[in-house]
Amino acid sequence: MSDDFDPFADAPRSRPSRRENEQEPAPQSFDPWADLPTRASRRRHGLELPTDAPGLGGMWQGDDASLTLDRGAGQGSEPSPAPGGRILVVCTGNVCRSPYIHLRLAAELDCLGIEVTSAGTGALAGWPVDPGSVALLDAAGIDSTAFRARQLTVDMVEDADLVLTATRAHRRSVVQEAPSGLRKTFALVDFADLVADLQPNEVEGASGDTPVSKLVAAANARRHLVHARPDDADADIVDPFKMGPETFEQMEREARSAVETVAHRLVTIAMLWQRGLR
């Protein structure tokens, strides 16, 4: 288990671990966020690649390039109107995991006014989606031909209402460089765990001026109700870069259920929103 990060450790745990016969970890007396240095936001600065992120290592750490695509592809350099809120998905290279999550989530949320984009902490800027992820998206009837990878910036984090990362290491990297993202940045699987059992009254009582920001507020209010997965590996989505079809299929299995959970909650909230919930 990671020694420096427990995504829900800032609130008491009210129910036992999901794993049977597993002992409760000893409570930590220190602030779980104390290891995250507070830095002033740096405009248009490429984020650092987390040293413990799987896959790409430091090969593209110096690449700050960012590609602008048509706004219809969800990758424009300037924010487009998004009355439902903005979601940013982050992995390392922005060619395998985050495009898959991004495009699957966008397809689930189509016509709800929610903007979904993605970027990489060490992006292969300008690259299309990796063929392994293309095959998975094609099988789901989702077109990825317009997509191009882009480098993550602090501005992207600040513009988003919700940031979903492929791993906890990516989350740490995002928050270290953009402290304003602390309460809205989650590993995808952790966020799905937080909102899986969300009740309508919890949504009604949450603050937020969009369905996405309202879901984030409701998720943060549930930290004391949900026991975090004890190991980072349990919350991380495998990196399939330069791997075979089996690893891409594993990535899909690990990501798909979480994507569907988050999408379902957002669809429900958006419907309530359209009926006058504010």
Side-chain angles (χ1 to χ4, degrees), residues 36-90:
L36 300 176
T38 300
R39 306 179 185 177
S41 297
R42 297 197 288 264
R43 308 298 285 176
R44 300 298 174 195
H45 176 70
L47 299 192
E48 296 172 359
L49 181 67
T51 56
D52 52 348
L56 298 178
M59 294 174 62
W60 297 281
Q61 201 163 357
D63 187 353
D64 284 337
S66 180
L67 186 74
T68 300
L69 295 185
D70 291 339
R71 195 167 285 180
Q75 292 288 104
S77 60
E78 296 182 0
S80 59
R86 296 185 176 91
I87 300 173
L88 174 66
V89 184
V90 176

Side-chain angles (χ1 to χ4, degrees), residues 13 26 30 35 48 52 70 81 84 87 113 168 171 192 210 218 221 225 234 257:
R13 294 168 173 169
F30 61 87
D35 61 306
E48 296 172 359
D52 52 348
D70 291 339
I87 300 173
R168 288 176 175 173
R171 184 202 181 273
T210 68
L225 299 175
D234 294 332
S257 176

Side-chain angles (χ1 to χ4, degrees), residues 51-163:
T51 56
D52 52 348
L56 298 178
M59 294 174 62
W60 297 281
Q61 201 163 357
D63 187 353
D64 284 337
S66 180
L67 186 74
T68 300
L69 295 185
D70 291 339
R71 195 167 285 180
Q75 292 288 104
S77 60
E78 296 182 0
S80 59
R86 296 185 176 91
I87 300 173
L88 174 66
V89 184
V90 176
C91 72
T92 304
N94 196 211
V95 293
C96 298
R97 290 170 290 183
S98 56
Y100 173 81
I101 296 166
H102 158 191
L103 295 172
R104 283 297 300 256
L105 194 56
E108 296 280 352
L109 302 175
D110 189 33
C111 299
L112 293 180
I114 297 173
E115 177 186 85
V116 186
T117 61
S118 62
T121 57
L124 300 174
W127 283 35
V129 181
D130 186 281
S133 291
V134 170
L136 299 174
L137 291 166
D138 284 348
I142 299 172
D143 180 23
S144 60
T145 55
F147 182 93
R148 294 295 181 273
R150 63 179 188 166
Q151 177 65 34
L152 185 64
T153 68
V154 169
D155 281 0
M156 295 176 193
V157 178
E158 293 177 345
D159 289 341
D161 295 299
L162 169 63
V163 182

Side-chain angles (χ1 to χ4, degrees), residues 89-91 96-105 108 133 136-137 164-167 187-193 229 233-240 247-264:
V89 184
V90 176
C91 72
C96 298
R97 290 170 290 183
S98 56
Y100 173 81
I101 296 166
H102 158 191
L103 295 172
R104 283 297 300 256
L105 194 56
E108 296 280 352
S133 291
L136 299 174
L137 291 166
L164 297 172
T165 66
T167 69
L188 170 64
V189 173
D190 284 331
F191 190 72
D193 286 347
R229 301 186 185 212
D234 294 332
D236 290 351
I237 296 169
V238 67
D239 184 359
T247 309
F248 277 91
E249 290 168 4
Q250 179 184 349
M251 181 269 289
E252 181 181 41
R253 288 194 303 272
E254 293 173 352
R256 183 173 54 194
S257 176
V259 167
E260 290 173 350
T261 296
V262 174
H264 179 70

